[in-house]
Amino acid sequence: MTNENNAAVADTILQQLGGHRFRGMTGAKNFMFGDAALIFTLPRFAGVKVNKVVVTLDADDTYTVNFYRLTRRGLHCETLATVAGVYGDNLRDVFTAKTGLLTEL
């Protein structure tokens, strides 16, 4: 995939999560795109261990969502959960279930 295609996939994922409202509700920042993926960080919240999320588009038009906790200034990465086979309309529900953060009012 080209960078333009990767950026378009990442933008689509962000829109399915809620776009600017998602950013405002969760405090998500440092958005990056990878190979058919959207990567972002979450600020520290009481009771929320997840601080890095990677949403990857799979070949079957579903997503795999990985939830991580980076510690020791990024030197240690712990995988907290991986959810595969997520459809676009379920991304918000999966995100909320694993982080406890609402994506909309």
Side-chain angles (χ1 to χ4, degrees), residues 21-75:
R21 289 184 181 183
F22 174 78
R23 288 180 178 191
M25 289 291 294
T26 63
K29 59 185 177 181
N30 300 329
F31 287 89
M32 299 177 282
F33 65 89
D35 190 22
L38 175 68
I39 306 159
F40 58 91
T41 59
L42 296 171
R44 183 179 296 173
F45 290 107
V48 178
K49 292 184 177 185
V50 175
N51 61 9
K52 179 74 80 178
V53 179
V54 179
V55 183
T56 307
L57 177 64
D58 296 326
D60 62 352
D61 260 357
T62 62
Y63 297 101
T64 298
V65 187
N66 294 295
F67 298 91
Y68 300 101
R69 172 128 181 102
L70 297 176
T71 57
R72 297 187 197 125
R73 297 187 183 178
L75 297 177

